[in-house]
């Protein structure tokens, strides 16, 4: 056997017995590296006579070729084996343990809206909705709000540009939930008993005002409705909402364009450990606007005010939440701070029911 054949046999045996990629690399370097045995043979070709090169050249090149092929084949084999080994032993565990308790919470605004819906459902009220992008007629005109009313002032109302007018109506972000009164009366036959919770918008921002906030509207239209019905309804609602029997109301004459007469409703509170607690009548705070629906509003909706009467009320949902659950900065409601939500949020399974106490 020639030296070259011996070398080839040795190298092939080395390649065959390499059982790791590192061992195989060592064989490659020993053969084809700068100081490698095959590289050394290739270098000898430079000093050969042309005849010698003709016979030895193909043999040496053949050696290099066969060693390269054997190395590549063995490398592929080892890589496949390595991959198979990893596939067999490594696993991605997709069954991550569940957290101890559900992390998300129900926002106090959602919770209070659910509580209100529950309380009013018990009194026979349905929930109604209207668009947040409202036209001037529903938001103002039909509610008997004249051009000069402060709610129309540029600094209060978010108006859309004139070229976004619809049917000749300027569009606004609704400034209150009262337009849902109009939408309900124009689309539904009386008797009507609805509440309409939702987002409203005003260009105003400080500790007690945010440009977007939440209101709830109430509307009853029927025959022979009077202020007594209004007072009973609000009293029943506030007692259920604050979960106290000693809630005392005070009705004060007021002015809203869409009600006549109009009343502002105060609720009595006591100061306990420096905090206002609803109940008793140590002092008063305003919680609601309300009144008997104005004849002009009933007429604007195509109903005969000599046949149909009713009352309406409106209040801030965020404010009701603050009064019941003790937050003092409205802006935090909309910061999305997880710590605040963990502290003030409600368990998703805590569905408000009247029997269980709506805020339980
Ligand atoms: N829309 C009024 C506001 O945003 C609240 C209000 C007052 C609503 C009296 C009513 C009502 O339905 O009768 O300030």
């Amino acid at each position: 056997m020639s030296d070259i054949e011996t070398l080839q046999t040795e190298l092939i045996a080395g390649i065959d017995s390499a059982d790791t990629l590192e061992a195989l690399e060592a064989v490659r370097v020993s053969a084809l590296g700068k100081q490698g045995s095959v590289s050394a043979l290739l270098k000898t070709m430079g000093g050969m006579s042309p005849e010698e090169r003709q016979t030895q050249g193909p043999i040496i090149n053949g050696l290099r070729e066969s060693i390269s092929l054997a190395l590549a084949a063995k490398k592929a084999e080892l890589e496949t084996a390595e991959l198979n080994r990893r596939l067999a032993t490594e696993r991605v565990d997709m069954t991550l343990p569940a957290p101890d308790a559900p992390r998300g919470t129900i926002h106090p605004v959602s919770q209070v809206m659910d509580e209100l819906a529950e309380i009013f459902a018990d009194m026979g009220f349905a929930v109604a909705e209207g668009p947040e992008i409202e036209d001037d007629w529903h938001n103002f005109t039909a509610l008997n709000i004249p051009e000069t009313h402060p709610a129309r002032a540029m600094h209060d109302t978010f108006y859309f540009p004139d070229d976004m007018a619809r049917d000749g109506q300027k569009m606004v972000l609704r400034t209150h939930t009262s337009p849902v009164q109009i939408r309900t009366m124009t689309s539904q036959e009386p008797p009507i008993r609805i509440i309409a919770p939702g987002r409203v918008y005003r260009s105003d921002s400080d500790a007690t005002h945010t440009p977007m906030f939440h209101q709830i509207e109430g509307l009853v239209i029927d025959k022979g409705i009077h202020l007594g019905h209004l007072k009973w309804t609000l009293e029943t609602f506030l007692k259920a909402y604050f979960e106290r029997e000693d809630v005392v109301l005070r009705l004060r004459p007021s002015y809203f364009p869409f009600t006549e007469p109009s009343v502002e409703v105060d609720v009595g509170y006591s100061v306990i450990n420096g905090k206002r607690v609803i109940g008793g009548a140590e002092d008063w705070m305003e919680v609601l606007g309300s009144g008997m629906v104005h004849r002009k509003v009933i007429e604007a909706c195509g109903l005969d005010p000599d046949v149909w009467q009713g009352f309406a009320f409106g209040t801030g949902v965020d404010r009701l939440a603050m009064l019941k659950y003790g937050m003092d900065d409205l802006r935090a409601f909309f910061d999305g701070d997880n710590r605040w939500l963990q502290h003030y949020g409600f368990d998703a399974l805590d569905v408000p029911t009247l029997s269980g106490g709506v805020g339980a």
Side-chain angles (χ1 to χ4, degrees), residues 46-114:
M48 289 178 185
S49 67
E51 297 77 32
E52 218 180 342
R53 200 178 300 141
Q54 238 174 15
T55 55
Q56 291 298 301
I59 297 172
I60 296 175
N61 276 322
L63 170 67
R64 190 194 53 187
E65 191 86 342
S66 67
I67 296 304
S68 297
L69 286 174
L71 280 167
K74 184 70 181 183
K75 189 167 183 230
E77 185 192 313
L78 286 174
E79 280 174 349
T80 307
E82 169 67 6
L83 181 63
N84 285 338
R85 186 192 63 76
R86 286 180 50 196
L87 285 176
T89 55
E90 289 179 15
R91 280 200 171 74
V92 178
D93 183 1
M94 312 243 241
T95 59
L96 286 176
D100 298 342
R103 291 282 175 85
T105 59
I106 302 293
H107 195 284
V109 170
S110 303
Q111 169 78 12
V112 167
M113 283 185 175
D114 286 351

Side-chain angles (χ1 to χ4, degrees), residues 143 145 151 175-179 181 200 202 213 215-219 230 255-259 261-264 288-293 311-316:
L143 286 160
I145 301 180
T175 57
H176 50 178
T177 43
S178 303
Q181 290 187 31
V200 302
R202 287 185 203 178
F213 57 106
Q215 284 192 339
I216 183 162
E217 195 79 12
L219 174 71
L230 169 63
Y255 171 76
F256 298 106
F258 31 87
T259 45
S262 300
V263 284
E264 253 162 358
L288 279 152
S290 65
M292 302 306 294
V293 181
F311 64 79
F313 57 88
T315 186

